Every structure is written in C-alpha cells, then in structure tokens.
Amino acid sequence: DIVVGLLDTGITNHVDLRSNLVGHTAPLSGYDFVSNITSARDGDGRDNDPTDQGTLDASNWHGTHVAGIIAASSNNKLGITGVNWQAQLLNARIMGANGGYTSDLIDAIYWTIGEPVINTPVNTHPAKILNLSLGGRSIGSSQLQKAIDTAVNKGVVVVVAAGNSATDVSTQL
C-alpha cells in the first residue's frame, strides 16, 4: 500500500477513488495549498480541504482524471481501473481556476514527503511517489529544484510531465 502524492488541481469525491484516498473522502485526502483566494474558488485559500473546485468555466477535473489513472478501484463495474488500485492517494491541491504559484508547489512537495511546512498540519502519510502532471512555460526556480532534490534524497520517486503544454519540451529550455 504505497502512498502516491498527487500534486494537481485536487480531487473530486468520486466513488471510484474514495477507497484509495488517504482519509477515504476528497475533503479529508490531503491539503489545499492554493494560496490565491480568487483562484482557489473555495473562499479561503489554503485549508484542510483539497477538493477540486473546478475552473471558472468548464473544468477538466484534471486532478481527478490523473488520480483515476493512478489508483482507481478495480472490479467494481465503475469507471476505470488504475495502474495500482491498491495505492493510497495523498491529495495536495496546488492549482486553482487560473493555474498556480511555484511557491505553493514547493510547499506541497515538502509537505507530501513528510517535511514540516509552516502553518500546515503534520502530514502523517508521507508519499513515496510524487506525481506532478503539470504544464508551464518557464524554467523552474532554484527553490523548486531544492524541493525536488530533497524528495529524491529521501528516496521518493518524482514523476514529472514533460511537454504538458501542447508544446515540444525542447523549446521550453
């Protein structure tokens, strides 16, 4: 039962995911790191409820989609079967309606691997794998690299999307 940290838009309370969520419901499955209140769409910015709030128009529910690929339950005649239907998903919501901030991502990386982060609860389910299926058009900061290095040095596998913005990743360097 490996814990996979999902750093994304959050997760909806989808029946095909509940049994594999830390806390067994979306609101109890991790932490909401979205600090921009307008983008967060939940009225308060960072909080204990990492449920995906959707975008300002039609949401793609990206975090829920990725969570299903990773760990949707199997043999229940619902949705799909995830790659590891026994994995536990730790939900770190880092993106809201208008994307997200690198500072929120950095804090979420530290938190998901069990490192202390100021003004957040202690994570009692540190992840051994981090999934960052993110887009972006800029080179990461040295602070972001330090967070990733810290995770790797703790033995955490970090899986990061490349070219996730419908562009050739070689043009992003």
Side-chain angles (χ1 to χ4, degrees), residues 82-93:
V83 173
N84 182 347
W85 54 90
Q86 295 178 351
Q88 294 294 296
L89 291 170
L90 178 65
N91 183 9
R93 182 173 182 242

Side-chain angles (χ1 to χ4, degrees), residues 10-11 33 39 52-53 80 85 90 98 114 118 129 141 151-152 171:
I11 300 173
F33 285 90
S39 183
D52 190 341
Q53 301 297 315
I80 64 170
W85 54 90
L90 178 65
N98 299 312
I118 295 172
I129 299 173
S141 68
V152 170
T171 65

Side-chain angles (χ1 to χ4, degrees), residues 11-79:
I11 300 173
T12 60
N13 207 24
H14 195 286
V15 67
D16 212 21
L17 298 173
R18 281 189 209 135
S19 64
N20 294 340
L21 295 176
V22 170
H24 301 293
T25 67
L28 299 175
S29 65
Y31 196 78
D32 179 359
F33 285 90
V34 179
S35 59
N36 180 300
I37 295 171
T38 303
S39 183
R41 298 198 63 225
D42 60 3
D44 59 4
R46 288 188 175 192
D47 61 38
N48 287 321
D49 183 354
T51 303
D52 190 341
Q53 301 297 315
T55 58
L56 296 175
D57 48 20
S59 180
N60 63 12
W61 309 108
H62 190 265
T64 301
H65 173 81
V66 173
I69 292 169
I70 295 170
S73 297
S74 67
N75 293 326
N76 62 4
K77 299 181 182 178
L78 297 170

